[in-house]
Amino acid sequence: MESELSNRKLKNWLIILGVWVFAAIVFSTFTFLQESITSQPSPYWRYLSWQTSSCLTWFLLTPLVIQIVSRFPLERKNLGRNFLIYLVCGLLLIVIHTVSDALFLPSLGFHPQMKLESFTKAFRFFLVWYFVWNLLIYIAVLGVTFGFNYYRKFNERELRTTQLEATLAKTRLQALKNQIHPHFLFNTHNSIIELIHSDAETAEKMLTNLSDLLRLALENTDVEEVTLKQELEFSNKYLEIEQIRFEERLKVKLEIDPNTLDAIVPNMILQPLIENALKHGIAPLLEGGTIEVRSEKKDGTLYLTVADNGVGIKAEEISQINYGIGLANIQERLKFLYNGNHNFEIKQNGKKGFLVKLSIPFQRADYSAEKTEVLFD
């Protein structure tokens, strides 16, 4: 893989070198023909040597232009500052190119009638006469770099979209299995049967919640992203069922910032985290425990947290956690959706329990979300 990447970079730079060599030939031919009309031209090979020297200097400066564009993209929030940086860097690169011309072109016999014997005289000549030309070349290199970057990013987005669509079809059913495990359905089913005769009202409520949960899951099977409000509605149905099963052993606390309710989040992102906290943190304890779900918006980022005060794990063992199918699925989905512009971490929740924290770019849905009903205090 590394060798393939190196070969690709070498190929790209050879193409760029070829473009500059071609430019040198075009500029040489144009200058030669132009001077053939008005005066007695020098031999063609001299024009070619001058333009080749000048274009090769621009070839060596091209990586700097690429770095400038990469480091300071033209984004709306930094447009003025970055435009000024482009201008200053362009002036510096033109000066560097002029120094190169002043050093090498006179030795290549550049127009002897100009009498460019000293470096100072040559520098002044090339700066005055070729400044606008070099500025246009710099702008052209910037434009080509912008175009290439846009094309590359467009292709990357297309590739990620294609990969995501391909994997969605394969993982959709598996995701449902991961997020609503068979053992959960069996346990709920058994609990309903047990409650039918002893507590018909609770059994009916449990069955209704299970029906609503499955309906929400199936309705959003083809949806990759939903609002946080919708995600909380689904998670609340799951928690209602589990609270009936665990009774007093399970307590749930929701701290949801109302300003985050219309934020766009991955579909079914919270339920696997809540189930993981319940299964591995709360269920092993006879006295049970509390699961906390929090949301917060800060500096254009949405923070989601699922914490429990269950059995937990030692701090030194956190890095050795073997991500199960559910957590691995979450990691993969986040990678596809946000291309690394996210954070997902698991750590101790104080002295006891787990804390899973997820941060993604805050994106608001097109409509205003109504206030979500918080079912648990």
Side-chain angles (χ1 to χ4, degrees):
M1 185 68 181
E2 189 172 305
S3 175
E4 181 180 348
L5 184 61
S6 299
N7 291 337
R8 190 183 305 166
K9 287 183 177 180
L10 178 60
K11 181 180 179 181
N12 289 339
W13 281 111
L14 287 176
I15 292 174
I16 294 174
L17 176 61
V19 170
W20 280 115
V21 170
F22 177 76
I25 295 173
V26 171
F27 295 157
S28 302
T29 304
F30 177 81
T31 307
F32 177 78
L33 293 176
Q34 186 182 43
E35 293 194 5
S36 296
I37 297 173
T38 58
S39 62
Q40 182 66 30
S42 300
Y44 178 80
W45 65 266
R46 285 192 179 276
Y47 293 95
L48 185 61
S49 66
W50 303 337
Q51 295 293 347
T52 300
S53 174
S54 185
C55 286
L56 286 180
T57 302
W58 272 115
F59 168 74
L60 296 176
L61 294 176
T62 299
L64 296 178
V65 179
I66 294 174
Q67 284 298 316
I68 293 169
V69 173
S70 176
R71 186 87 179 270
F72 306 101
L74 279 182
E75 299 173 343
R76 184 176 299 177
K77 59 181 180 180
N78 295 320
L79 184 61
R81 186 201 67 177
N82 288 356
F83 181 81
L84 183 61
I85 290 174
Y86 287 152
L87 180 60
V88 173
C89 290
L91 294 176
L92 290 175
L93 292 180
I94 290 173
V95 169
I96 293 173
H97 186 273
T98 303
V99 169
S100 174
D101 281 353
L103 287 173
F104 297 107
L105 293 191
S107 62
L108 294 174
F110 183 86
H111 293 303
Q113 66 274 19
M114 299 297 178
K115 298 181 180 181
L116 305 177
E117 303 90 0
S118 67
F119 170 81
T120 303
K121 189 173 182 180
F123 178 83
R124 188 183 302 115
F125 172 83
F126 289 117
L127 184 63
V128 171
W129 286 96
Y130 292 95
F131 176 83
V132 175
W133 177 247
N134 284 327
L135 180 61
L136 292 175
I137 291 178
Y138 171 70
I139 293 173
V141 176
L142 277 179
V144 172
T145 305
F146 282 136
F148 178 81
N149 283 351
Y150 177 83
Y151 176 78
R152 177 175 54 83
K153 290 178 180 179
F154 176 80
N155 281 345
E156 288 175 354
R157 285 195 299 268
E158 287 290 311
L159 178 61
R160 286 198 302 271
T161 301
T162 302
Q163 290 175 335
L164 182 58
E165 290 174 349
T167 55
L168 277 178
K170 296 179 182 178
T171 61
R172 205 162 275 148
L173 291 178
Q174 186 62 42
L176 284 176
K177 293 178 182 177
N178 295 337
Q179 293 157 355
I180 308 177
H181 285 197
H183 71 79
F184 162 70
L185 295 177
F186 293 145
N187 289 340
T188 305
H189 178 263
N190 292 334
S191 298
I192 292 173
I193 292 176
E194 293 174 3
L195 289 169
I196 284 177
H197 301 291
S198 60
D199 191 345
E201 185 178 349
T202 303
E204 182 180 356
K205 181 180 179 181
M206 202 171 189
L207 185 60
T208 301
N209 286 332
L210 179 61
S211 175
D212 291 340
L213 182 72
L214 294 175
R215 176 181 55 79
L216 289 172
L218 293 174
E219 282 179 355
N220 292 327
T221 299
D222 296 325
V223 179
E224 185 58 32
E225 294 178 310
V226 296
T227 63
L228 180 59
K229 175 185 175 181
Q230 293 172 301
E231 185 66 15
L232 287 170
E233 288 173 349
F234 181 84
S235 299
N236 281 340
K237 292 297 181 182
Y238 171 80
L239 284 168
E240 279 188 325
I241 294 173
E242 293 291 22
Q243 195 166 51
I244 293 174
R245 290 183 56 237
F246 282 82
E247 297 179 340
E248 298 300 322
R249 293 179 59 218
L250 174 61
K251 294 181 177 61
V252 179
K253 183 178 181 182
L254 299 183
E255 296 182 1
I256 306 300
D257 182 353
N259 293 321
T260 64
L261 291 177
D262 58 350
I264 297 175
V265 299
N267 186 19
M268 292 186 181
I269 196 72
L270 287 178
Q271 189 274 334
L273 299 179
I274 295 172
E275 182 176 2
N276 195 65
L278 181 60
K279 179 180 177 182
H280 300 290
I282 304 302
L285 297 177
L286 292 177
E287 68 275 17
T290 302
I291 293 178
E292 298 182 15
V293 180
R294 295 188 293 271
S295 73
E296 179 185 10
K297 175 190 174 185
K298 186 177 180 181
D299 298 330
T301 300
L302 175 66
Y303 295 92
L304 298 175
T305 304
V306 177
D308 66 76
N309 60 351
V311 295
I313 193 172
K314 295 180 181 179
E316 58 270 18
E317 296 177 355
I318 291 289
S319 60
Q320 301 174 6
I321 292 177
N322 181 23
Y323 287 102
I325 295 177
L327 294 180
N329 184 35
I330 289 174
Q331 295 265 56
E332 193 67 21
R333 291 175 63 202
L334 292 173
K335 180 180 177 181
F336 273 118
L337 286 171
Y338 303 108
N339 193 29
N341 190 22
H342 70 277
N343 188 52
F344 183 81
E345 60 178 328
I346 300 177
K347 58 184 179 180
Q348 282 185 308
N349 184 21
K351 296 182 179 180
K352 194 175 182 182
F354 280 107
L355 186 148
V356 180
K357 193 168 186 178
L358 166 67
S359 63
I360 58 176
F362 183 89
Q363 295 176 297
R364 195 179 298 275
D366 293 336
Y367 56 89
S368 299
E370 300 175 0
K371 185 176 181 181
T372 297
E373 180 183 2
V374 178
L375 303 178
F376 302 94
D377 294 325

